[in-house]
């Protein structure tokens, strides 16, 4: 029997940490674990392939370093190391389509809505408009308010 994965987009948004905390609490309370997706969008510098390759190498190193920092929090919250997924893609939605389509253990995508009245955020808006079908799979999406407190997360998750 596979273990349920809670997928979280590991980006630099203010609301990411709320989505991560919520996913960690849900994973801990349901016996699942957390998977972190970091998307690297293509470098726009295309004059020399060597320069582009160096930019992409640096982007990957930065993504790995960011995921390592996040892993400490996930381990402290769940007792288990997260799964790291680094995907090169044109945008987050296409990366999600690929990752969810390839991994049947991903059972729930956890997102947080934007904070401070900035609207729902681009990915949440895209899901609302285009739906939640990720290739051949349908995966539930949990959207948590981006300004939940730790106590509220503990109560809900």
């Amino acid at each position: 029997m596979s273990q349920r994965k809670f997928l979280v987009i590991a980006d630099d948004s203010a609301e990411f940490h709320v989505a991560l905390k919520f996913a960690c609490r849900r994973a801990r309370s349901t016996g699942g674990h957390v998977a972190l997706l970091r998307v690297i969008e293509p470098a726009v510098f295309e004059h020399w392939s060597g320069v582009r390759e160096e930019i992409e190498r640096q982007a990957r190193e930065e993504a790995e370093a960011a995921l390592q920092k996040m892993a400490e929090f996930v381990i402290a919250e769940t007792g288990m190391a997260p799964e790291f997924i680094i995907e090169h893609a044109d945008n987050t939605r296409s990366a999600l389509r690929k990752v969810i389509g390839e991994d049947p253990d991903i059972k729930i995508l956890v997102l947080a809505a934007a904070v401070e009245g900035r609207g729902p955020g681009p990915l949440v808006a895209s899901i609302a408009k285009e739906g939640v079908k990720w290739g051949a799979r349908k995966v539930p999406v949990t959207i948590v308010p981006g300004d939940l407190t730790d106590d509220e997360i503990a109560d809900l998750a």
Side-chain angles (χ1 to χ4, degrees), residues 90-129:
D90 289 335
N91 57 56
T92 302
R93 181 135 181 134
S94 63
L96 279 170
R97 188 175 299 111
K98 180 178 185 289
V99 168
I100 291 172
E102 293 176 352
D103 189 345
D105 291 338
I106 295 172
K107 303 298 184 192
I108 297 173
L109 172 61
V110 179
L111 302 173
V115 295
E116 299 173 6
R118 294 184 295 131
L123 191 55
V124 174
S126 169
I127 289 169
K129 181 179 178 183

PDB file of all heavy atoms in Angstrom, residues 90-129:
ATOM      1  N   ASP A  90       7.927  25.402 -18.210  1.00  0.00           N
ATOM      2  CA  ASP A  90       7.595  26.770 -18.619  1.00  0.00           C
ATOM      3  C   ASP A  90       6.812  27.514 -17.554  1.00  0.00           C
ATOM      4  O   ASP A  90       6.887  28.735 -17.465  1.00  0.00           O
ATOM      5  CB  ASP A  90       6.797  26.761 -19.925  1.00  0.00           C
ATOM      6  CG  ASP A  90       7.663  26.361 -21.113  1.00  0.00           C
ATOM      7  OD1 ASP A  90       8.890  26.558 -21.044  1.00  0.00           O
ATOM      8  OD2 ASP A  90       7.105  25.837 -22.090  1.00  0.00           O
ATOM      9  N   ASN A  91       6.025  26.767 -16.761  1.00  0.00           N
ATOM     10  CA  ASN A  91       5.245  27.382 -15.697  1.00  0.00           C
ATOM     11  C   ASN A  91       4.872  26.322 -14.663  1.00  0.00           C
ATOM     12  O   ASN A  91       5.050  25.125 -14.891  1.00  0.00           O
ATOM     13  CB  ASN A  91       3.996  28.087 -16.249  1.00  0.00           C
ATOM     14  CG  ASN A  91       3.120  27.143 -17.046  1.00  0.00           C
ATOM     15  OD1 ASN A  91       2.695  26.093 -16.558  1.00  0.00           O
ATOM     16  ND2 ASN A  91       2.846  27.508 -18.289  1.00  0.00           N
ATOM     17  N   THR A  92       4.344  26.769 -13.539  1.00  0.00           N
ATOM     18  CA  THR A  92       4.019  25.857 -12.444  1.00  0.00           C
ATOM     19  C   THR A  92       2.915  24.885 -12.824  1.00  0.00           C
ATOM     20  O   THR A  92       2.976  23.709 -12.491  1.00  0.00           O
ATOM     21  CB  THR A  92       3.610  26.659 -11.185  1.00  0.00           C
ATOM     22  OG1 THR A  92       4.697  27.526 -10.836  1.00  0.00           O
ATOM     23  CG2 THR A  92       3.318  25.741 -10.020  1.00  0.00           C
ATOM     24  N   ARG A  93       1.923  25.351 -13.533  1.00  0.00           N
ATOM     25  CA  ARG A  93       0.812  24.472 -13.914  1.00  0.00           C
ATOM     26  C   ARG A  93       1.297  23.300 -14.778  1.00  0.00           C
ATOM     27  O   ARG A  93       0.892  22.162 -14.563  1.00  0.00           O
ATOM     28  CB  ARG A  93      -0.271  25.260 -14.640  1.00  0.00           C
ATOM     29  CG  ARG A  93      -1.447  24.379 -15.017  1.00  0.00           C
ATOM     30  CD  ARG A  93      -2.742  25.043 -14.685  1.00  0.00           C
ATOM     31  NE  ARG A  93      -3.818  24.141 -15.051  1.00  0.00           N
ATOM     32  CZ  ARG A  93      -4.829  23.890 -14.297  1.00  0.00           C
ATOM     33  NH1 ARG A  93      -4.940  24.476 -13.134  1.00  0.00           N
ATOM     34  NH2 ARG A  93      -5.773  23.084 -14.665  1.00  0.00           N
ATOM     35  N   SER A  94       2.169  23.552 -15.743  1.00  0.00           N
ATOM     36  CA  SER A  94       2.660  22.452 -16.572  1.00  0.00           C
ATOM     37  C   SER A  94       3.545  21.506 -15.756  1.00  0.00           C
ATOM     38  O   SER A  94       3.516  20.288 -15.964  1.00  0.00           O
ATOM     39  CB  SER A  94       3.393  22.965 -17.811  1.00  0.00           C
ATOM     40  OG  SER A  94       4.536  23.694 -17.459  1.00  0.00           O
ATOM     41  N   ALA A  95       4.304  22.042 -14.810  1.00  0.00           N
ATOM     42  CA  ALA A  95       5.105  21.184 -13.930  1.00  0.00           C
ATOM     43  C   ALA A  95       4.195  20.306 -13.077  1.00  0.00           C
ATOM     44  O   ALA A  95       4.456  19.105 -12.901  1.00  0.00           O
ATOM     45  CB  ALA A  95       6.008  22.029 -13.040  1.00  0.00           C
ATOM     46  N   LEU A  96       3.124  20.883 -12.557  1.00  0.00           N
ATOM     47  CA  LEU A  96       2.164  20.101 -11.762  1.00  0.00           C
ATOM     48  C   LEU A  96       1.543  18.988 -12.594  1.00  0.00           C
ATOM     49  O   LEU A  96       1.411  17.857 -12.123  1.00  0.00           O
ATOM     50  CB  LEU A  96       1.051  21.007 -11.220  1.00  0.00           C
ATOM     51  CG  LEU A  96       1.382  21.803  -9.980  1.00  0.00           C
ATOM     52  CD1 LEU A  96       0.285  22.828  -9.711  1.00  0.00           C
ATOM     53  CD2 LEU A  96       1.579  20.887  -8.792  1.00  0.00           C
ATOM     54  N   ARG A  97       1.154  19.302 -13.806  1.00  0.00           N
ATOM     55  CA  ARG A  97       0.543  18.307 -14.691  1.00  0.00           C
ATOM     56  C   ARG A  97       1.481  17.109 -14.865  1.00  0.00           C
ATOM     57  O   ARG A  97       1.075  15.958 -14.759  1.00  0.00           O
ATOM     58  CB  ARG A  97       0.194  18.942 -16.038  1.00  0.00           C
ATOM     59  CG  ARG A  97      -0.608  18.045 -16.950  1.00  0.00           C
ATOM     60  CD  ARG A  97      -1.044  18.748 -18.239  1.00  0.00           C
ATOM     61  NE  ARG A  97      -1.909  19.896 -17.948  1.00  0.00           N
ATOM     62  CZ  ARG A  97      -1.559  21.171 -18.138  1.00  0.00           C
ATOM     63  NH1 ARG A  97      -0.386  21.490 -18.627  1.00  0.00           N
ATOM     64  NH2 ARG A  97      -2.397  22.143 -17.865  1.00  0.00           N
ATOM     65  N   LYS A  98       2.748  17.381 -15.093  1.00  0.00           N
ATOM     66  CA  LYS A  98       3.728  16.317 -15.300  1.00  0.00           C
ATOM     67  C   LYS A  98       3.950  15.510 -14.018  1.00  0.00           C
ATOM     68  O   LYS A  98       3.886  14.279 -14.028  1.00  0.00           O
ATOM     69  CB  LYS A  98       5.052  16.913 -15.770  1.00  0.00           C
ATOM     70  CG  LYS A  98       6.135  15.882 -16.020  1.00  0.00           C
ATOM     71  CD  LYS A  98       7.403  16.550 -16.530  1.00  0.00           C
ATOM     72  CE  LYS A  98       8.467  15.549 -16.904  1.00  0.00           C
ATOM     73  NZ  LYS A  98       9.063  14.886 -15.779  1.00  0.00           N
ATOM     74  N   VAL A  99       4.206  16.191 -12.918  1.00  0.00           N
ATOM     75  CA  VAL A  99       4.530  15.519 -11.661  1.00  0.00           C
ATOM     76  C   VAL A  99       3.353  14.690 -11.160  1.00  0.00           C
ATOM     77  O   VAL A  99       3.511  13.517 -10.785  1.00  0.00           O
ATOM     78  CB  VAL A  99       4.971  16.558 -10.600  1.00  0.00           C
ATOM     79  CG1 VAL A  99       5.034  15.952  -9.210  1.00  0.00           C
ATOM     80  CG2 VAL A  99       6.316  17.153 -10.993  1.00  0.00           C
ATOM     81  N   ILE A 100       2.164  15.261 -11.158  1.00  0.00           N
ATOM     82  CA  ILE A 100       0.985  14.528 -10.681  1.00  0.00           C
ATOM     83  C   ILE A 100       0.660  13.373 -11.621  1.00  0.00           C
ATOM     84  O   ILE A 100       0.279  12.289 -11.171  1.00  0.00           O
ATOM     85  CB  ILE A 100      -0.214  15.482 -10.503  1.00  0.00           C
ATOM     86  CG1 ILE A 100       0.059  16.423  -9.323  1.00  0.00           C
ATOM     87  CG2 ILE A 100      -1.512  14.711 -10.293  1.00  0.00           C
ATOM     88  CD1 ILE A 100      -0.947  17.537  -9.151  1.00  0.00           C
ATOM     89  N   GLY A 101       0.828  13.585 -12.914  1.00  0.00           N
ATOM     90  CA  GLY A 101       0.572  12.519 -13.877  1.00  0.00           C
ATOM     91  C   GLY A 101       1.504  11.335 -13.723  1.00  0.00           C
ATOM     92  O   GLY A 101       1.139  10.200 -14.008  1.00  0.00           O
ATOM     93  N   GLU A 102       2.725  11.582 -13.262  1.00  0.00           N
ATOM     94  CA  GLU A 102       3.725  10.518 -13.146  1.00  0.00           C
ATOM     95  C   GLU A 102       3.751   9.838 -11.784  1.00  0.00           C
ATOM     96  O   GLU A 102       4.364   8.787 -11.643  1.00  0.00           O
ATOM     97  CB  GLU A 102       5.120  11.086 -13.449  1.00  0.00           C
ATOM     98  CG  GLU A 102       5.299  11.508 -14.888  1.00  0.00           C
ATOM     99  CD  GLU A 102       6.653  12.163 -15.142  1.00  0.00           C
ATOM    100  OE1 GLU A 102       7.404  12.426 -14.180  1.00  0.00           O
ATOM    101  OE2 GLU A 102       6.943  12.423 -16.318  1.00  0.00           O
ATOM    102  N   ASP A 103       3.136  10.427 -10.764  1.00  0.00           N
ATOM    103  CA  ASP A 103       3.244   9.864  -9.413  1.00  0.00           C
ATOM    104  C   ASP A 103       1.867   9.601  -8.814  1.00  0.00           C
ATOM    105  O   ASP A 103       1.227  10.509  -8.282  1.00  0.00           O
ATOM    106  CB  ASP A 103       4.022  10.819  -8.514  1.00  0.00           C
ATOM    107  CG  ASP A 103       4.357  10.213  -7.165  1.00  0.00           C
ATOM    108  OD1 ASP A 103       3.770   9.173  -6.796  1.00  0.00           O
ATOM    109  OD2 ASP A 103       5.212  10.788  -6.469  1.00  0.00           O
ATOM    110  N   PRO A 104       1.406   8.351  -8.860  1.00  0.00           N
ATOM    111  CA  PRO A 104       0.078   8.035  -8.334  1.00  0.00           C
ATOM    112  C   PRO A 104      -0.031   8.134  -6.813  1.00  0.00           C
ATOM    113  O   PRO A 104      -1.136   8.115  -6.272  1.00  0.00           O
ATOM    114  CB  PRO A 104      -0.154   6.592  -8.804  1.00  0.00           C
ATOM    115  CG  PRO A 104       1.212   6.034  -9.011  1.00  0.00           C
ATOM    116  CD  PRO A 104       2.077   7.192  -9.436  1.00  0.00           C
ATOM    117  N   ASP A 105       1.113   8.274  -6.114  1.00  0.00           N
ATOM    118  CA  ASP A 105       1.064   8.415  -4.656  1.00  0.00           C
ATOM    119  C   ASP A 105       0.699   9.826  -4.221  1.00  0.00           C
ATOM    120  O   ASP A 105       0.361  10.051  -3.058  1.00  0.00           O
ATOM    121  CB  ASP A 105       2.403   8.015  -4.031  1.00  0.00           C
ATOM    122  CG  ASP A 105       2.669   6.520  -4.161  1.00  0.00           C
ATOM    123  OD1 ASP A 105       1.697   5.750  -4.327  1.00  0.00           O
ATOM    124  OD2 ASP A 105       3.842   6.127  -4.107  1.00  0.00           O
ATOM    125  N   ILE A 106       0.780  10.790  -5.136  1.00  0.00           N
ATOM    126  CA  ILE A 106       0.344  12.153  -4.797  1.00  0.00           C
ATOM    127  C   ILE A 106      -1.169  12.122  -4.742  1.00  0.00           C
ATOM    128  O   ILE A 106      -1.837  11.885  -5.734  1.00  0.00           O
ATOM    129  CB  ILE A 106       0.849  13.188  -5.818  1.00  0.00           C
ATOM    130  CG1 ILE A 106       2.382  13.262  -5.780  1.00  0.00           C
ATOM    131  CG2 ILE A 106       0.227  14.561  -5.536  1.00  0.00           C
ATOM    132  CD1 ILE A 106       2.988  14.123  -6.878  1.00  0.00           C
ATOM    133  N   LYS A 107      -1.693  12.363  -3.555  1.00  0.00           N
ATOM    134  CA  LYS A 107      -3.140  12.270  -3.349  1.00  0.00           C
ATOM    135  C   LYS A 107      -3.810  13.623  -3.159  1.00  0.00           C
ATOM    136  O   LYS A 107      -4.996  13.766  -3.423  1.00  0.00           O
ATOM    137  CB  LYS A 107      -3.448  11.391  -2.134  1.00  0.00           C
ATOM    138  CG  LYS A 107      -2.874   9.989  -2.218  1.00  0.00           C
ATOM    139  CD  LYS A 107      -3.432   9.217  -3.383  1.00  0.00           C
ATOM    140  CE  LYS A 107      -2.900   7.790  -3.366  1.00  0.00           C
ATOM    141  NZ  LYS A 107      -3.164   7.079  -4.584  1.00  0.00           N
ATOM    142  N   ILE A 108      -3.048  14.616  -2.684  1.00  0.00           N
ATOM    143  CA  ILE A 108      -3.638  15.930  -2.409  1.00  0.00           C
ATOM    144  C   ILE A 108      -2.612  17.017  -2.722  1.00  0.00           C
ATOM    145  O   ILE A 108      -1.449  16.919  -2.336  1.00  0.00           O
ATOM    146  CB  ILE A 108      -4.083  16.050  -0.933  1.00  0.00           C
ATOM    147  CG1 ILE A 108      -5.176  15.024  -0.639  1.00  0.00           C
ATOM    148  CG2 ILE A 108      -4.565  17.456  -0.615  1.00  0.00           C
ATOM    149  CD1 ILE A 108      -5.565  14.933   0.810  1.00  0.00           C
ATOM    150  N   LEU A 109      -3.066  18.046  -3.423  1.00  0.00           N
ATOM    151  CA  LEU A 109      -2.264  19.238  -3.669  1.00  0.00           C
ATOM    152  C   LEU A 109      -2.709  20.288  -2.659  1.00  0.00           C
ATOM    153  O   LEU A 109      -3.904  20.581  -2.559  1.00  0.00           O
ATOM    154  CB  LEU A 109      -2.481  19.746  -5.098  1.00  0.00           C
ATOM    155  CG  LEU A 109      -1.870  21.094  -5.462  1.00  0.00           C
ATOM    156  CD1 LEU A 109      -0.344  21.070  -5.319  1.00  0.00           C
ATOM    157  CD2 LEU A 109      -2.278  21.489  -6.878  1.00  0.00           C
ATOM    158  N   VAL A 110      -1.773  20.825  -1.898  1.00  0.00           N
ATOM    159  CA  VAL A 110      -2.092  21.831  -0.883  1.00  0.00           C
ATOM    160  C   VAL A 110      -1.561  23.183  -1.349  1.00  0.00           C
ATOM    161  O   VAL A 110      -0.369  23.331  -1.617  1.00  0.00           O
ATOM    162  CB  VAL A 110      -1.479  21.476   0.489  1.00  0.00           C
ATOM    163  CG1 VAL A 110      -1.812  22.557   1.519  1.00  0.00           C
ATOM    164  CG2 VAL A 110      -1.974  20.115   0.964  1.00  0.00           C
ATOM    165  N   LEU A 111      -2.463  24.145  -1.464  1.00  0.00           N
ATOM    166  CA  LEU A 111      -2.125  25.511  -1.850  1.00  0.00           C
ATOM    167  C   LEU A 111      -2.654  26.468  -0.796  1.00  0.00           C
ATOM    168  O   LEU A 111      -3.619  26.155  -0.102  1.00  0.00           O
ATOM    169  CB  LEU A 111      -2.773  25.874  -3.188  1.00  0.00           C
ATOM    170  CG  LEU A 111      -2.442  25.010  -4.395  1.00  0.00           C
ATOM    171  CD1 LEU A 111      -3.318  25.421  -5.572  1.00  0.00           C
ATOM    172  CD2 LEU A 111      -0.972  25.118  -4.742  1.00  0.00           C
ATOM    173  N   ALA A 112      -2.060  27.631  -0.718  1.00  0.00           N
ATOM    174  CA  ALA A 112      -2.583  28.686   0.143  1.00  0.00           C
ATOM    175  C   ALA A 112      -2.970  29.866  -0.731  1.00  0.00           C
ATOM    176  O   ALA A 112      -2.269  30.192  -1.689  1.00  0.00           O
ATOM    177  CB  ALA A 112      -1.547  29.108   1.186  1.00  0.00           C
ATOM    178  N   ALA A 113      -4.108  30.464  -0.401  1.00  0.00           N
ATOM    179  CA  ALA A 113      -4.553  31.660  -1.117  1.00  0.00           C
ATOM    180  C   ALA A 113      -3.654  32.828  -0.739  1.00  0.00           C
ATOM    181  O   ALA A 113      -3.047  32.837   0.338  1.00  0.00           O
ATOM    182  CB  ALA A 113      -6.010  31.963  -0.766  1.00  0.00           C
ATOM    183  N   ALA A 114      -3.557  33.794  -1.609  1.00  0.00           N
ATOM    184  CA  ALA A 114      -2.720  34.966  -1.361  1.00  0.00           C
ATOM    185  C   ALA A 114      -3.207  35.718  -0.134  1.00  0.00           C
ATOM    186  O   ALA A 114      -4.382  35.668   0.226  1.00  0.00           O
ATOM    187  CB  ALA A 114      -2.722  35.880  -2.586  1.00  0.00           C
ATOM    188  N   VAL A 115      -2.286  36.409   0.499  1.00  0.00           N
ATOM    189  CA  VAL A 115      -2.605  37.172   1.694  1.00  0.00           C
ATOM    190  C   VAL A 115      -2.734  38.650   1.370  1.00  0.00           C
ATOM    191  O   VAL A 115      -2.366  39.104   0.291  1.00  0.00           O
ATOM    192  CB  VAL A 115      -1.529  36.963   2.795  1.00  0.00           C
ATOM    193  CG1 VAL A 115      -1.525  35.528   3.268  1.00  0.00           C
ATOM    194  CG2 VAL A 115      -0.161  37.358   2.314  1.00  0.00           C
ATOM    195  N   GLU A 116      -3.259  39.402   2.317  1.00  0.00           N
ATOM    196  CA  GLU A 116      -3.362  40.864   2.244  1.00  0.00           C
ATOM    197  C   GLU A 116      -4.183  41.364   1.060  1.00  0.00           C
ATOM    198  O   GLU A 116      -3.831  42.327   0.400  1.00  0.00           O
ATOM    199  CB  GLU A 116      -1.960  41.484   2.223  1.00  0.00           C
ATOM    200  CG  GLU A 116      -1.149  41.157   3.463  1.00  0.00           C
ATOM    201  CD  GLU A 116       0.283  41.637   3.364  1.00  0.00           C
ATOM    202  OE1 GLU A 116       0.638  42.319   2.380  1.00  0.00           O
ATOM    203  OE2 GLU A 116       1.048  41.321   4.275  1.00  0.00           O
ATOM    204  N   GLY A 117      -5.264  40.660   0.743  1.00  0.00           N
ATOM    205  CA  GLY A 117      -6.181  41.128  -0.287  1.00  0.00           C
ATOM    206  C   GLY A 117      -5.617  41.155  -1.685  1.00  0.00           C
ATOM    207  O   GLY A 117      -6.082  41.901  -2.531  1.00  0.00           O
ATOM    208  N   ARG A 118      -4.608  40.352  -1.964  1.00  0.00           N
ATOM    209  CA  ARG A 118      -4.001  40.340  -3.293  1.00  0.00           C
ATOM    210  C   ARG A 118      -4.726  39.402  -4.244  1.00  0.00           C
ATOM    211  O   ARG A 118      -4.195  39.019  -5.267  1.00  0.00           O
ATOM    212  CB  ARG A 118      -2.531  39.931  -3.202  1.00  0.00           C
ATOM    213  CG  ARG A 118      -1.671  40.929  -2.471  1.00  0.00           C
ATOM    214  CD  ARG A 118      -0.200  40.548  -2.478  1.00  0.00           C
ATOM    215  NE  ARG A 118      -0.002  39.314  -1.722  1.00  0.00           N
ATOM    216  CZ  ARG A 118       0.678  38.266  -2.159  1.00  0.00           C
ATOM    217  NH1 ARG A 118       1.216  38.263  -3.350  1.00  0.00           N
ATOM    218  NH2 ARG A 118       0.831  37.198  -1.410  1.00  0.00           N
ATOM    219  N   GLY A 119      -5.921  38.981  -3.916  1.00  0.00           N
ATOM    220  CA  GLY A 119      -6.642  38.037  -4.767  1.00  0.00           C
ATOM    221  C   GLY A 119      -6.242  36.620  -4.424  1.00  0.00           C
ATOM    222  O   GLY A 119      -5.515  36.372  -3.477  1.00  0.00           O
ATOM    223  N   PRO A 120      -6.704  35.666  -5.206  1.00  0.00           N
ATOM    224  CA  PRO A 120      -6.463  34.272  -4.862  1.00  0.00           C
ATOM    225  C   PRO A 120      -5.050  33.785  -5.167  1.00  0.00           C
ATOM    226  O   PRO A 120      -4.630  32.750  -4.682  1.00  0.00           O
ATOM    227  CB  PRO A 120      -7.465  33.520  -5.735  1.00  0.00           C
ATOM    228  CG  PRO A 120      -7.676  34.413  -6.910  1.00  0.00           C
ATOM    229  CD  PRO A 120      -7.550  35.818  -6.383  1.00  0.00           C
ATOM    230  N   GLY A 121      -4.308  34.498  -5.965  1.00  0.00           N
ATOM    231  CA  GLY A 121      -3.001  34.024  -6.405  1.00  0.00           C
ATOM    232  C   GLY A 121      -3.132  33.401  -7.782  1.00  0.00           C
ATOM    233  O   GLY A 121      -4.192  32.902  -8.147  1.00  0.00           O
ATOM    234  N   PRO A 122      -2.082  33.422  -8.589  1.00  0.00           N
ATOM    235  CA  PRO A 122      -2.189  32.972  -9.973  1.00  0.00           C
ATOM    236  C   PRO A 122      -2.533  31.492 -10.127  1.00  0.00           C
ATOM    237  O   PRO A 122      -3.313  31.131 -11.001  1.00  0.00           O
ATOM    238  CB  PRO A 122      -0.819  33.287 -10.571  1.00  0.00           C
ATOM    239  CG  PRO A 122       0.091  33.519  -9.427  1.00  0.00           C
ATOM    240  CD  PRO A 122      -0.752  33.946  -8.267  1.00  0.00           C
ATOM    241  N   LEU A 123      -1.977  30.632  -9.299  1.00  0.00           N
ATOM    242  CA  LEU A 123      -2.259  29.206  -9.447  1.00  0.00           C
ATOM    243  C   LEU A 123      -3.678  28.877  -8.999  1.00  0.00           C
ATOM    244  O   LEU A 123      -4.386  28.123  -9.662  1.00  0.00           O
ATOM    245  CB  LEU A 123      -1.241  28.367  -8.674  1.00  0.00           C
ATOM    246  CG  LEU A 123      -1.281  26.879  -8.954  1.00  0.00           C
ATOM    247  CD1 LEU A 123      -1.144  26.585 -10.448  1.00  0.00           C
ATOM    248  CD2 LEU A 123      -0.180  26.175  -8.184  1.00  0.00           C
ATOM    249  N   VAL A 124      -4.117  29.447  -7.898  1.00  0.00           N
ATOM    250  CA  VAL A 124      -5.484  29.222  -7.428  1.00  0.00           C
ATOM    251  C   VAL A 124      -6.477  29.757  -8.456  1.00  0.00           C
ATOM    252  O   VAL A 124      -7.473  29.099  -8.776  1.00  0.00           O
ATOM    253  CB  VAL A 124      -5.713  29.868  -6.038  1.00  0.00           C
ATOM    254  CG1 VAL A 124      -7.167  29.768  -5.628  1.00  0.00           C
ATOM    255  CG2 VAL A 124      -4.819  29.202  -4.986  1.00  0.00           C
ATOM    256  N   ALA A 125      -6.204  30.918  -9.028  1.00  0.00           N
ATOM    257  CA  ALA A 125      -7.079  31.473 -10.060  1.00  0.00           C
ATOM    258  C   ALA A 125      -7.110  30.566 -11.285  1.00  0.00           C
ATOM    259  O   ALA A 125      -8.176  30.340 -11.879  1.00  0.00           O
ATOM    260  CB  ALA A 125      -6.613  32.876 -10.447  1.00  0.00           C
ATOM    261  N   SER A 126      -5.969  30.029 -11.664  1.00  0.00           N
ATOM    262  CA  SER A 126      -5.897  29.123 -12.809  1.00  0.00           C
ATOM    263  C   SER A 126      -6.719  27.854 -12.562  1.00  0.00           C
ATOM    264  O   SER A 126      -7.437  27.378 -13.441  1.00  0.00           O
ATOM    265  CB  SER A 126      -4.440  28.748 -13.077  1.00  0.00           C
ATOM    266  OG  SER A 126      -4.349  27.692 -13.989  1.00  0.00           O
ATOM    267  N   ILE A 127      -6.635  27.325 -11.366  1.00  0.00           N
ATOM    268  CA  ILE A 127      -7.402  26.120 -11.025  1.00  0.00           C
ATOM    269  C   ILE A 127      -8.894  26.420 -11.041  1.00  0.00           C
ATOM    270  O   ILE A 127      -9.700  25.629 -11.533  1.00  0.00           O
ATOM    271  CB  ILE A 127      -6.940  25.554  -9.677  1.00  0.00           C
ATOM    272  CG1 ILE A 127      -5.545  24.949  -9.835  1.00  0.00           C
ATOM    273  CG2 ILE A 127      -7.919  24.513  -9.150  1.00  0.00           C
ATOM    274  CD1 ILE A 127      -4.875  24.595  -8.532  1.00  0.00           C
ATOM    275  N   ALA A 128      -9.265  27.580 -10.513  1.00  0.00           N
ATOM    276  CA  ALA A 128     -10.674  27.957 -10.509  1.00  0.00           C
ATOM    277  C   ALA A 128     -11.209  28.083 -11.933  1.00  0.00           C
ATOM    278  O   ALA A 128     -12.348  27.712 -12.222  1.00  0.00           O
ATOM    279  CB  ALA A 128     -10.868  29.269  -9.749  1.00  0.00           C
ATOM    280  N   LYS A 129     -10.380  28.570 -12.832  1.00  0.00           N
ATOM    281  CA  LYS A 129     -10.799  28.785 -14.215  1.00  0.00           C
ATOM    282  C   LYS A 129     -10.744  27.497 -15.043  1.00  0.00           C
ATOM    283  O   LYS A 129     -11.663  27.187 -15.792  1.00  0.00           O
ATOM    284  CB  LYS A 129      -9.909  29.844 -14.855  1.00  0.00           C
ATOM    285  CG  LYS A 129     -10.267  30.165 -16.287  1.00  0.00           C
ATOM    286  CD  LYS A 129      -9.349  31.239 -16.835  1.00  0.00           C
ATOM    287  CE  LYS A 129      -9.671  31.528 -18.286  1.00  0.00           C
ATOM    288  NZ  LYS A 129      -8.748  32.509 -18.856  1.00  0.00           N
TER     289      LYS A 129
END
